[in-house]
Amino acid sequence: MQKYDLFNGKVNNLLHGADYNPDQWLHRPDILEKDIELMKKANCNVMSLGIFSWSTLEPEEGQFQFEWLDQIINNLYQNGINVILATPSGARPDWLAAKYPEVLRVNADRSKNLFGERHNHCYTSPVYREKIKIINRKLAERYGNHPAVIMWHVSNEYGGDCHCELCQQDFRKWLQNKYGSLENLNRSWWSSFWSHTYTDWQNIESPAPQGMQSVHGLALDWKRFSSDQTIEFYKNEIEPLREISPEIPITTNFMYKYIGLNYWKFAQEVDVISWDSYPSWHSDYETDINRAVDSAFMHDMFRSLKDGKPFLLMESTPSKTNWQSVAKLKRPGMHKLSSLQAIAHGSDSVQYFQWRKSRGGVEKFHGSVVDHVGNENTRVFKDVSELGAELQKITSITGTSVKAEVAVVFDQENRWAINEASGPRQEKKDYLKTCLSHYKNFWQQGISVDIINQEKDFSKYKLVIAPMLYLLKEDTAARLKKFVKNGGTVVSTYWTGIVNENDLCFLGGFPGPLRDLFAIWSEELDALYDQDSNQIVIKDNSELKTGQEYEAKTFCDLIQLEGAEVLAEYKSDFYAGRPALTVNDYGKGKAYYIASRNEEQFLKDFYYSLVSKLNLSKTIVSQLPEGVTAQKRSDKNYDYIFLMNFSQDEKKVDLTEELMEFVSGNVIKDSIILEKYEVKILKK
């Protein structure tokens, strides 16, 4: 197993720290001094600086003030604390918006933003690009060789799109480069529908509530363009950083479930993946177990963006958020458990927003390490300090990797296309939720999973699961077939292989180019009302439990056999007796097609059978109790096993081999007890 070095030899331990905003406290040197004292007590070894500091760094155009930042960075370094230094483009000063109004974003309804908030700037604006390049160059020249600076943190949570005329012109150029001619564009968009044929490039506008909304090819290309334009803005930002300090790695913090950017494409431009995680633990509408599955899925996705290279948990909260509908506190044990969950899935850091609560502004009630009381005598501070001490004891995990035999395909462009589609239901298409429901079964069994898009290499996996792969790119079908022909197993579902990458329906029958792989023809898709349901019945000759029935809701695909074997049939309605689950032998492998959206127990039984059939590696060989998962990171010498209990009950985990408790060194035989919200790290 490969061991990674994220920081070119400058760091050899797990990072523990927070977003630090000393520019809000320059009038209180006593607080700045106290911060250093508290950081050491909290066992912090890194701080992220300067994320929204533009107005303090450049209070007037061309007038730069770095002396305060010099002092902060020097003080941190002298006290053994590293710095992740940010560029400040996420929020611009008022003078920039006043003098250069073109930098302000235009919304889809063509209204122009006023100064305020953050990330409301135009990514196309030459003025904005030039201004941020100037200040980034000065930051790189001043701090690029400072021994405290271990990473550049570029901007903050990129997002949103701009519909100004500058962006419209760049969009038209982007389309011309892609399609070459209007004839090709019109054919690709099927724009003759409703007489929407374009006769001049200048007539093309981005989607608008009072304008074009019915050409899905346009909508899809606008999302692609907006994502590409954001990436180009980022690349403009990092030019001086790369030029002046090429040895310092660069990141930008990605967001939880964010739909606006193609992170698979963005990941190619960053050295290290980082992301911001804010699960709503202890919510009434979701159990902590489901929330843990949700968080694990995202951790695995961000790890997979760089093919297993460790990522950074750049932001999390040690207590609560202020922007979720309910700002519920983390219950005792949850801070350590949720933080080490990130480490278990591949993070080399636990970092927080924020270090110290601000006195004013929209996030003054957001969780922090240091509360308004300003001392270490809080429950949260003690939790953070104890976690920091634990991270110091498990430092050998730094740089270790996760090996997965299973991949779930969660594709952003497919997500865009499904959401744009007018049907088969307007609500509850639930692409992400569906991917999570398949993923959960491996989380429950302690099996590592990569979350990939449809362009990634399939060949290193035993099992690839591609739910609802509605938008099927040109070469994906060929690569899936090759994967199965060479001995791999693929699972897909209803609403797969419907359109090509331009959102045009495949002719000749669904699932399009995958029809021969699954050896079925999807003739119709029945969309059920919420109160409707059907049942599927497992056939007696099936590899699953014979005679078992499962409820089917929302979608029932009516398929015809073209060589596949039937494993389950529908029980009722006019399509009773028709196939609901099939398998097809294809080369050395197998292709399973799940025709309906079934209850959770079906997927649990189905994947339990597949895990056994494919002999997939489990972190812990024995069956894990409900709410407990086991995840593993490895190097060439050791496996580091994280046993995590996300339930509210004590759980016993049976062991089939001797393992060593990492921190204490105690040998554990036979079984181990996990208290509510407890995590134990074992070494093998």
Side-chain angles (χ1 to χ4, degrees), residues 303 357 485 555 668:
R303 185 195 67 243
K357 284 184 180 177
K485 191 172 289 185
F555 296 119
I668 301 175

Side-chain angles (χ1 to χ4, degrees), residues 353-369:
F353 180 84
Q354 51 193 326
W355 168 253
R356 178 184 287 273
K357 284 184 180 177
S358 60
R359 291 195 67 189
V362 70
E363 290 182 310
K364 62 181 176 291
F365 297 125
H366 196 288
S368 67
V369 181

